[in-house]
Each structure stands twice: as C-alpha cells, then as structure tokens.
Amino acid sequence: MKASEIVTRPFSMMRDFLTTEAGGGIVLISAAAAAMIVANSDLSAEYLETLHLHVGGLSVIHWINDGLMALFFLVVGLEIKREVLDGQLSRWSDRILPGVAAAAGVALPALIYIACNQADPAGLRGWAIPAATDIAFALGVLALIGSRVPSSLKIFLTAVAIIDDLIAVLIIACFYTADLKLLPLAGAGAGLLVLAACNRAGVRSLWPYLAVGLAIWFCVLQSGIHATLAGVAVAMTVPLTRTPGRPDDRHSPLYRLEHGLHPWVAYAIVPIFGFSNAGVALGGFSPRDVLAPVPLGVALGLFIGKQVGIFLSVWLLVHLGWAERPRGASWRQIYGVALLCGIGFTMSLFIGALAFSDGSHQNDAAKLGVLLGSIISALAGYAILRMARSGSSSRHQHL
C-alpha cells in the first residue's frame, strides 16, 4: 500500500458517513412532510388505522418503534463505539469541545422544558424530548448549503450529535423504563455474555452477533426495558479490529456491519419512522394550544436551549483556552451549526412516544412542539450559514 493511501484512508469512513447522513436527512425531511400532508388530508383516517393495525401481536407503529428502530439504535451504538475507540472522539482533547457542548445542549433545553411545565406533573414526563439532535436532518440541511461550511464544522456537528445520542440512550434507560421482569432481563444478560465471549475469542463472523442479538432484542422487549436499547447493547460487543495506520480497517466486523446497515437505516428505517410518527392533524389545535406548556416547552427547548447551550459552551471553552475553535470556522458559522443542533426530530419524537401514550393529546402536542422547534431551528441555521463566511476569510468576524 502506498503512503498516500495510508494518509487519506482514515478519513474515508467519515466522508462516507457524512454523505449517507446528509442524503438520508433529505429523505427524512421529505417523509416528515409527506406525513403532515397525509395526516391533514382525507387519508388521515386510513393513515391512523394502518399504524394501529395489529400484526403478530403488535401494532404496525409498535413494530416500527420497537422493532425497526432497534436497528437504528444498533447503528447508533456502532457509531459511538467506533468514534470513541478509533475515530473523532478517540482522544480526550477531541472529546472536550463536542462533549461539553453536547452536555450543555442537553441540560439547558431540559431546564427550559421543566420551567414551562412545572405546574403540570403529567407534562413534566416529557422533559427529555428537546434534549437530542437529529444528525441526519441537521446534516441534510448542511448538504443544501454545500462547500460553504468547512468540514471541521460538519465533524463537530457529527460528534455533538453522537454524544447527544449516547446521553439520550442513557436517559431512556434510566427514566423511561417500565416495571422490570427479571427472567427476560437475565436472558438478555446471558446473551450479552455469549457475545462478549465471542468477541474475546476473536469471532469475526457477523452471524453469531446478529442471531444472538435477535434473541437479546426479544428478551429486552419482554423485560420492561425499551427494546431498542438492545441494539446499543449488542453494538458494544461487536469487535472493532484495528490495523496500525489504518483506523478504518474495512475488514473489521464493526466496520462491515455499520456500513452494511447504515444505508438501510438512513434511507429506509428512519424515513419510515418519520412518516409514521410525524403526522399531526393540525385541525385539532388552536393557536392557544400551540402556546400550551408541552409544545411550548419542546419548541423553546429545541430552538433557544440548544443554540444557547451549545454556542455559549464553545465560546467559553475557546476563550478560556481549554479547546480550539473548529479549524477554518467563523463564530457566525459555529452559531449557525448550534442552531441546526436544535433539529431534534427522530430522537425527540421517539422520546415523546415513550413519555406520553401513543395517540394521546399530549403526544400530539409534543410532536407539534418538535416540528415547530426543529423547523425554526433548521430555517434559522440555514439562513445564518448561507450568509456566514469562513473563519479563514474573516478572522475577526462577529455575530
């Protein structure tokens, strides 16, 4: 292998990842728009009836949210493991800026939501809805802007969203888990021990991980823990083999599984989830309903909480000398990306479905807040980034 290939290959995975996420984000935007059109048309009754049709003991929406989305969480887990062990988050110096930004971008939206819903104990259950960033949607907006945004900011956004996803997974596990059933949970634990042993023994075939992983998913589904968390748990057991000078070894089991699943997740599973969960009949809401605590808390959390938490944390870290500003990025561009982090579509809708019962007015209100906050964040972030110049061309640029 030539030396030039060794230098350039480590970045191929990130380029492929960003390209797939951006394209998937555009498909997701289209699916969400289609859901809104259908839910507010003469087809709305058929739309809802199909989602609640029972197949194999579960409704269609249940299969999507608990079944297909387990594959989404499997890919999320693979991405987190790869980035932490061998990617953009492999060094502590690389984790500080996106890590602190992600934490601030989770905490402040949650506090804003809680402030809006402090008089409503039932509504408080949705405090985590505005905490997550939709990486596909956000990168889809960046794709519309093109090369005006430096690659360092795209990587920063990806890192923030990945850490966001990790925090969201922990939140789901800790705060949105029903009564535990010990026997199925023990079965899931036994399955994970088997996969850990396979990893330890150097098993590189993916079939044992997928077959046992399916059994783990079924056990988790029966245990009271949300079934999608099985995807993250299984991902942690998939081997990541590394070759010196080639951190994106294409023969690694983790690499093969991630790249095999990622297009299906980005272009099929997440859009299906978006189409099945984003449909809100707006005729059931009055202008006063939009200002109710749940939708207002979600929308303000996403639009205000995300941008303030992320941008201020980056500004403080850079000015304190604890981290460096993303290379080639101006402060206005960083602010634009902080706005895009307010797009909380997929994970926010998912947490909303866990917080409030499916089909309830609160769940629809939360969806409305997610749509409003995400759309406003997307439009504002797009406008700022279209007008912004890079840091190299405007070193002293101010907001």
Side-chain angles (χ1 to χ4, degrees), residues 290-315:
V290 177
L291 299 178
V294 169
L296 184 64
V298 172
L300 290 180
L302 288 172
F303 180 61
I304 302 297
K306 280 289 185 181
Q307 62 165 297
V308 172
I310 291 174
F311 183 77
L312 281 186
S313 62
V314 171
W315 186 87

Side-chain angles (χ1 to χ4, degrees), residues 198-279:
C198 290
N199 185 320
R200 187 86 175 172
V203 176
R204 296 172 59 85
S205 173
L206 290 175
W207 286 111
Y209 299 95
L210 295 177
V212 178
L214 181 60
I216 291 172
W217 171 83
F218 179 78
C219 289
V220 173
L221 180 66
Q222 303 298 318
S223 71
I225 298 176
H226 200 272
T228 52
L229 296 180
V232 178
V234 171
M236 297 299 110
T237 68
V238 178
L240 173 64
T241 56
R242 290 171 284 182
T243 303
R246 287 170 47 188
D248 62 344
D249 186 356
R250 293 180 182 271
H251 300 291
S252 170
L254 188 147
Y255 183 101
R256 288 185 284 121
L257 183 57
E258 182 184 359
H259 276 251
L261 287 177
H262 207 286
W264 290 98
V265 169
Y267 291 106
I269 291 174
V270 171
I272 288 172
F273 171 84
F275 180 76
S276 62
N277 285 271

Side-chain angles (χ1 to χ4, degrees), residues 94-359:
D94 297 327
R95 300 170 189 166
I96 292 175
L97 192 64
V100 174
V106 168
L108 192 56
L111 291 174
I112 290 176
Y113 181 92
I114 291 170
C116 292
N117 288 268
Q118 58 183 336
D120 180 14
L124 280 175
R125 183 166 170 77
W127 65 271
I129 295 173
T133 295
D134 191 303
I135 184 172
F137 211 141
L139 287 174
V141 175
L142 278 184
L144 299 176
I145 300 171
S147 59
R148 298 187 183 193
V149 179
S151 59
S152 63
L153 268 187
K154 296 177 183 178
I155 293 173
F156 170 75
L157 172 60
T158 302
V160 169
I162 288 174
I163 297 172
D164 251 354
D165 284 343
L166 175 59
I167 297 174
V169 167
L170 295 175
I171 288 173
I172 292 170
C174 295
F175 297 98
Y176 295 101
T177 295
D179 294 334
L180 293 179
K181 298 178 181 177
L182 296 181
L183 187 59
L185 191 61
L192 289 174
L193 289 176
V194 170
L195 293 186
C198 290
N199 185 320
R200 187 86 175 172
V203 176
R204 296 172 59 85
S205 173
L206 290 175
W207 286 111
Y209 299 95
L210 295 177
V212 178
L214 181 60
I216 291 172
W217 171 83
F218 179 78
C219 289
V220 173
L221 180 66
Q222 303 298 318
S223 71
I225 298 176
H226 200 272
T228 52
L229 296 180
V232 178
V234 171
M236 297 299 110
T237 68
V238 178
L240 173 64
T241 56
R242 290 171 284 182
T243 303
R246 287 170 47 188
D248 62 344
D249 186 356
R250 293 180 182 271
H251 300 291
S252 170
L254 188 147
Y255 183 101
R256 288 185 284 121
L257 183 57
E258 182 184 359
H259 276 251
L261 287 177
H262 207 286
W264 290 98
V265 169
Y267 291 106
I269 291 174
V270 171
I272 288 172
F273 171 84
F275 180 76
S276 62
N277 285 271
V280 180
L282 298 179
F285 290 93
S286 66
R288 174 178 291 183
D289 290 331
V290 177
L291 299 178
V294 169
L296 184 64
V298 172
L300 290 180
L302 288 172
F303 180 61
I304 302 297
K306 280 289 185 181
Q307 62 165 297
V308 172
I310 291 174
F311 183 77
L312 281 186
S313 62
V314 171
W315 186 87
L316 283 173
L317 287 174
V318 171
H319 281 76
L320 289 173
W322 295 352
E324 294 183 0
R325 190 170 67 178
R327 182 172 298 179
S330 67
W331 282 114
R332 185 172 294 177
Q333 287 177 321
I334 294 173
Y335 178 61
V337 166
L339 280 165
L340 291 186
C341 288
I343 303 174
F345 193 78
T346 303
M347 193 70 81
S348 293
L349 289 177
F350 187 82
I351 294 175
L354 297 179
F356 306 118
S357 59
D358 184 45

